[in-house]
Amino acid sequence: MALRPFVGKRGRQRTDLPPGQYDVGRDFPVLTAEVTPRIDTARWTMTVDGLVERPTTWSWDELHQLPETAYEGPIHCVTTWSKFDTSFAGIGVDVLLDAARPLPGASHVLATSTTGYTTNLPLDHLRGGQAWIAWTFDGKPLPREHGGPVRLLVPHLYFWTSAKWITRLTLLDHDERGFWERNGYHDLGDPWREQRYWGD
Ligand SMILES: Nc1nc2c(c(=O)[nH]1)N[C@H]1C(S)=C(S)[C@@H](COP(=O)(O)O)O[C@H]1N2
Ligand SMILES: [Mo]
């Protein structure tokens, strides 16, 4: 299928497309820098640690007892595809942070995957209903190649910050670059400000 940059599904110019992005339509590209892991949910855990009052670890079952919330909207990859009308569900990161209670000095977060992939975010960008620990896509279990059984979802930033196979959020009092951020990607990654690379 030929790509038609900047043109939406119905052939109209989209007004909700960040600069330099195109609408990928129904496709959902897979971008992974490492081998796709096979994760046993009986052994997987989610931890919030670092500068928090109560470092906390949840099992798969414990997380599923928390209130599920959904995200419906677009996602934007730095490689220039945007996907509209996506639908994810899981636990709001706010719920986990409220349980772990960030200490006053906490300003940044390093997210870590079971594979060792990392990505850094300002704490403010994980709060206020902006981020999820997501386990369904389109109402079905999140496919392995898209981070299943569970991934971080931070849809207002470029998608490299949405760490697949998430297992840990570590709160810090400084910014510590993750995998792509060490390799040239921007420390934040706001698609509307086109923060793709260092210096953008
Ligand atoms: N663990 C892990 N998470 C990751 C990546 C990765 O290589 N490993 N790639 C990132 C990048 S660059 C993008 S664009 C998205 C891609 O998610 P998708 O494969 O579901 O489209 O995942 C992000 N999360
Ligand atoms: Mo990406």
Side-chain angles (χ1 to χ4, degrees):
M1 191 191 80
L3 298 173
R4 295 184 300 167
F6 309 109
V7 177
K9 269 183 253 178
R10 294 174 199 85
R12 279 183 291 106
Q13 177 96 23
R14 296 200 69 121
T15 54
D16 48 359
L17 201 51
Q21 296 291 111
Y22 73 93
D23 180 356
V24 76
R26 288 170 165 279
D27 293 348
F28 191 173
V30 172
L31 285 103
T32 305
E34 68 266 24
V35 174
T36 298
R38 201 172 280 282
I39 293 171
D40 177 1
T41 55
R43 305 183 68 178
W44 173 88
T45 55
M46 180 67 212
T47 295
V48 177
D49 63 4
L51 289 177
V52 294
E53 221 172 283
R54 302 202 309 186
T56 308
T57 296
W58 292 265
S59 69
W60 177 258
D61 288 342
E62 285 166 346
L63 266 197
H64 281 72
Q65 283 158 28
L66 301 174
E68 193 179 80
T69 52
Y71 169 73
E72 312 218 328
I75 54 178
H76 309 287
C77 175
V78 71
T79 61
T80 75
W81 57 267
S82 290
K83 183 171 175 60
F84 288 89
D85 308 317
T86 71
S87 163
F88 291 89
I91 296 298
V93 170
D94 291 299
V95 175
L96 306 189
L97 291 173
D98 287 349
R101 298 192 198 138
L103 290 168
S107 58
H108 291 79
V109 177
L110 192 69
T112 305
S113 303
T114 61
T115 55
Y117 181 90
T118 52
T119 184
N120 54 296
L121 305 102
L123 178 56
D124 284 352
H125 284 258
L126 281 178
R127 308 184 94 159
Q130 301 187 91
W132 288 260
I133 303 293
W135 50 64
T136 73
F137 175 74
D138 266 351
K140 296 188 222 46
L142 185 65
R144 260 178 81 217
E145 66 273 20
H146 288 301
V150 56
R151 78 181 298 162
L152 183 61
L153 176 69
V154 193
H156 74 287
L157 298 178
Y158 284 125
F159 215 34
W160 82 73
T161 58
S162 292
K164 302 196 274 192
W165 316 296
I166 184 80
T167 187
R168 187 178 299 269
L169 296 174
T170 303
L171 280 77
L172 305 167
D173 62 3
H174 60 280
D175 198 7
E176 203 166 290
R177 282 178 171 163
F179 175 76
W180 281 118
E181 294 87 357
R182 280 196 302 272
N183 286 288
Y185 283 6
H186 196 275
D187 268 330
L188 180 59
D190 179 344
W192 292 98
R193 292 194 274 163
E194 221 176 342
Q195 294 172 334
R196 297 179 193 275
Y197 310 109
W198 294 348
D200 283 349

